Amino acid sequence: MKAISIVIVLAVFMLNHNLSGRNIHVLTLEKSQQLARQNSFKMRSLLEDFKIARYELRAARNRFKTQVNLKFDLPDYSETISSLQDSAGLHYFPLKQARYNAYLQIEQPLPTDGFFYLSSGIYHVQDYFLQEQSFRLNTRLGFEQPIESFYAYNRIKSSLKMAELNYRLSEKRLLRAQLDLEYEVASAFYSLYSALERKNIALQTLRQQRDAYQLALNKFKAGVIAEVEALQMEVDLGEAQNNFDLSLVEVQQKADAFKQLLNIDLQDSVILNTDLTYPIVKIDLQKALEFGFKNRLEIQERKIAIEQQKLTLKRIDAENQIQGKISAYYDFIGVRQEPRYYALNTTFQNAWEELKKRPGNRGIAFSITIPLWDWHVNKNQTLAQKARLHQQQMALKDLEITIKRDIRNTVMELESSLKRLQLLEKNVAVAEKSFAISKNRFANGDINSQALALDRNRLSQAYNSRLNALINYKLLLADVKRKTFYDFVNDHPVSLDDYLQQE
């Protein structure tokens, strides 16, 4: 393992360089990623989508539990004209009533899409025109069961399955967005670091060129070298100064982009604190493919779409099958009508006595609907849905091949990047020794300024190449993580809980 521990202070180059009164943010890569998650509108929106899916799943599960409702009318008063038609003709009479009722409904859904229910109500009517009052007591125990749910389409189970699919999809979307944002922040973080390092390399080159120019100027004054060589060194110094100035502009641009991504005020300053230790990671391709196929959002979206298409196919197909319903009930009713001057408790007691004496009502029914002919409307709808399902299945197979190629290519790029990084580190060591030797040889007059400039350019190029290879390797590690949902650096699967606990 090659450790390169670096603390970089990012000074914001504005028109006013006085940073007093501005906020200073000390950021590691992990802190930057956490800050981006907290400030990202997309992440907050996806988190709300995840919460919505979770609540809807809970609601779908709770539909299997007992539901209790209580309804009151306190009061329901009306004054109107009503009519009655009998053998003597049509009669109109005034109606002036106040109704009071309390109604309790207890319902127990069944996994078969049916339900048991118990309903009980108390109804009291005050008739101010007839000067009468009445009580009605009613309690019913009932059962309803659609028969098509046994062989065609079960609505309550399908709703639960759909809610579970939406929850899984929302979970995968949120996790993938977390990993994508993590990669985006890492890219911006290392891009800024790269710009700062290039600035440092440009500054080092500028200092080396100043030393070389001063040495060449002294040698020219001593008559050791020709004037053209001294002039060439002056040109090289100007170019080095220009490259350094351009690097300052690049740092400013990268810093602004990084702060915008993290939703930090552009007037603020940031300090990047990063340990660029890079681990030597060997990727198990089979494990990468296994976790990629299991967790990739694109595959999960296709699989969930296929499950949803199957449920839709069942629902469409059920519309042309035999449908029916079994229902049964048993209830008790007690009704009593008394003059208004009777006490309420007396009327209620009389209604209760009536309920106890009256035999219970009962009923059972079996209704059935048999589709006979619809000009093949349902058949064609079913065939169209089957074609959509087949289309989704073909798309899934093609997508699996694409993702397999994508993961394989990324793993191979990672292996090549590691080898290149290790090679370039050796190249930097060689370039540093070569430039030190050339610098001494130029001072002794053994080589001219062009040879020295060549070795200096090789050293700068070696620094930049190593820097690019290091950043590319770190980003490829993050890319493998987001494409496989597996953290090969720490050797554990990535889960949404890891991110939710950080919030």
Side-chain angles (χ1 to χ4, degrees):
M1 182 178 293
K2 179 68 175 178
I4 308 174
S5 298
I6 302 173
V7 176
I8 303 170
V9 177
L10 171 61
V12 183
F13 294 93
M14 307 293 291
L15 293 176
N16 181 7
H17 288 191
N18 184 4
L19 299 182
S20 60
R22 297 174 181 172
N23 296 321
I24 299 177
H25 306 269
V26 181
L27 299 174
T28 62
L29 176 59
E30 292 73 18
K31 178 65 176 177
S32 300
Q33 291 168 339
Q34 184 179 3
L35 192 61
R37 286 193 295 269
Q38 293 172 350
N39 294 331
S40 169
F41 169 77
K42 180 180 179 181
M43 292 307 308
R44 295 199 303 268
S45 178
L46 286 173
L47 183 59
E48 293 303 316
D49 287 341
F50 174 71
K51 291 179 180 178
I52 291 170
R54 182 172 58 191
Y55 295 143
E56 289 181 344
L57 176 58
R58 290 177 182 174
R61 289 173 175 169
N62 290 339
R63 287 193 181 98
F64 289 84
K65 299 179 180 179
T66 304
Q67 311 293 323
V68 182
N69 294 294
L70 184 61
K71 179 182 177 183
F72 293 96
D73 284 328
L74 301 171
D76 179 3
Y77 180 80
S78 62
E79 292 184 15
T80 184
I81 298 296
S82 187
S83 62
L84 175 66
Q85 187 171 8
D86 57 16
S87 58
L90 183 64
H91 307 276
Y92 292 93
F93 58 93
L95 192 64
K96 186 177 181 181
Q97 293 180 338
R99 296 180 177 85
Y100 304 83
N101 67 71
Y103 181 78
L104 177 68
Q105 175 87 9
I106 302 176
E107 186 174 301
Q108 176 57 56
L110 301 173
T112 57
D113 217 11
F115 60 93
F116 286 103
Y117 66 91
L118 173 66
S119 62
S120 183
I122 300 176
Y123 306 87
H124 175 57
V125 179
Q126 291 274 5
D127 194 317
Y128 296 98
F129 180 75
L130 299 176
Q131 295 298 312
E132 292 180 345
Q133 64 176 337
S134 64
F135 259 108
R136 183 170 64 131
L137 310 177
N138 185 16
T139 299
R140 169 174 290 194
L141 178 64
F143 166 73
E144 291 190 10
Q145 175 61 58
I147 62 172
E148 64 269 14
S149 62
F150 292 106
Y151 55 83
Y153 184 72
N154 187 312
R155 288 174 176 79
I156 191 169
K157 285 187 176 180
S158 297
S159 296
L160 176 60
K161 182 67 176 296
M162 192 69 72
E164 290 174 342
L165 293 174
N166 288 334
Y167 177 77
R168 280 172 44 200
L169 182 59
S170 178
E171 185 180 34
K172 295 298 181 184
R173 281 175 177 167
L174 181 57
L175 181 55
R176 178 56 186 267
Q178 296 275 13
L179 294 173
D180 285 344
L181 182 62
E182 186 177 280
Y183 179 84
E184 184 180 1
V185 173
S187 179
F189 187 92
Y190 290 129
S191 180
L192 176 56
Y193 163 72
S194 178
L196 285 165
E197 278 295 282
R198 284 192 290 271
K199 184 203 72 172
N200 293 336
I201 293 171
L203 179 59
Q204 180 181 356
T205 302
L206 176 60
R207 289 171 177 171
Q208 292 170 348
Q209 188 59 40
R210 282 174 179 168
D211 293 340
Y213 170 70
Q214 189 61 46
L215 180 60
L217 185 60
N218 293 335
K219 294 177 71 173
F220 167 69
K221 291 179 179 179
V224 177
I225 62 174
E227 181 182 8
V228 66
E229 287 198 41
L231 293 175
Q232 182 60 48
M233 295 298 286
E234 185 177 1
V235 171
D236 292 344
L237 176 60
E239 183 179 357
Q241 180 66 54
N242 182 65
N243 290 337
F244 176 70
D245 293 339
L246 291 176
S247 70
L248 295 181
V249 174
E250 183 186 17
V251 167
Q252 177 66 64
Q253 294 172 343
K254 300 294 184 182
D256 288 346
F258 181 67
K259 286 186 284 188
Q260 182 181 8
L261 180 61
L262 271 58
N263 198 24
I264 295 176
D265 194 296
L266 296 182
Q267 300 299 321
D268 291 352
S269 301
V270 296
I271 297 176
L272 298 188
N273 186 351
T274 180
D275 180 4
L276 289 178
T277 299
Y278 69 89
I280 299 178
V281 180
K282 300 296 183 182
I283 304 295
D284 185 339
L285 181 58
Q286 292 304 317
K287 179 183 285 189
L289 292 173
E290 176 187 350
F291 278 89
F293 287 148
K294 180 181 178 181
N295 296 295
R296 281 290 286 268
L297 175 62
E298 304 94 315
I299 292 181
Q300 293 302 313
E301 284 179 331
R302 290 292 183 185
K303 287 184 176 180
I304 289 173
I306 288 174
E307 293 297 325
Q308 291 173 337
Q309 294 286 357
K310 289 180 179 179
L311 290 174
T312 304
L313 177 60
K314 280 187 176 182
R315 179 181 58 79
I316 294 174
D317 189 53
E319 293 175 357
N320 199 43
Q321 296 192 32
I322 296 175
Q323 300 182 20
K325 183 175 71 172
I326 300 173
S327 60
Y329 70 90
Y330 188 88
D331 65 13
F332 300 93
I333 297 178
V335 180
R336 190 69 177 183
Q337 189 170 352
E338 306 282 2
R340 280 195 64 224
Y341 58 81
Y342 273 46
L344 288 177
N345 62 337
T346 301
T347 305
F348 177 81
Q349 186 64 34
N350 291 338
W352 175 250
E353 294 297 330
E354 179 73 17
L355 182 145
K356 291 192 294 183
K357 292 187 299 182
R358 187 188 297 255
N361 301 319
R362 68 200 69 186
I364 187 170
F366 175 52
S367 60
I368 188 170
T369 303
I370 303 176
L372 296 178
W373 186 255
D374 68 347
W375 298 95
H376 298 302
V377 172
N378 184 267
K379 179 181 178 180
N380 286 289
Q381 289 178 333
T382 302
L383 291 174
Q385 187 60 30
K386 287 182 177 179
R388 293 190 188 97
L389 179 60
H390 183 60
Q391 186 181 52
Q392 293 282 359
Q393 291 170 337
M394 290 190 300
L396 175 61
K397 291 181 179 179
D398 183 69
L399 180 61
E400 287 177 343
I401 296 174
T402 301
I403 289 179
K404 182 177 181 179
R405 291 176 50 246
D406 183 31
I407 293 176
R408 289 178 60 182
N409 291 339
T410 305
V411 170
M412 288 188 293
E413 287 178 14
L414 179 67
E415 294 174 350
S416 299
S417 177
L418 177 60
K419 294 177 181 177
R420 174 174 172 78
L421 175 58
Q422 292 171 334
L423 179 63
L424 288 175
E425 286 183 336
K426 296 178 181 179
N427 187 42
V428 167
V430 172
E432 288 175 340
K433 292 180 180 179
S434 178
F435 179 73
I437 294 172
S438 296
K439 190 175 180 181
N440 291 331
R441 294 183 65 192
F442 179 75
N444 296 330
D446 296 334
I447 59 174
N448 58 21
S449 59
Q450 292 181 348
L452 179 63
L454 182 62
D455 281 340
R456 185 182 60 254
N457 291 336
R458 286 175 181 171
L459 179 59
S460 298
Q461 185 177 1
Y463 284 141
N464 282 311
S465 297
R466 183 188 63 178
L467 174 64
N468 293 334
L470 176 62
I471 293 174
N472 184 59
Y473 179 68
K474 298 284 284 187
L475 290 177
L476 281 172
L477 285 174
D479 197 25
V480 170
K481 181 180 178 181
R482 69 170 179 161
K483 289 180 177 178
T484 63
F485 288 63
Y486 193 91
D487 186 354
F488 285 94
V489 176
N490 299 304
D491 196 22
H492 66 79
V494 179
S495 68
L496 187 59
D497 293 337
D498 298 336
Y499 293 96
L500 294 179
Q501 291 172 1
Q502 298 175 14
E503 303 300 331

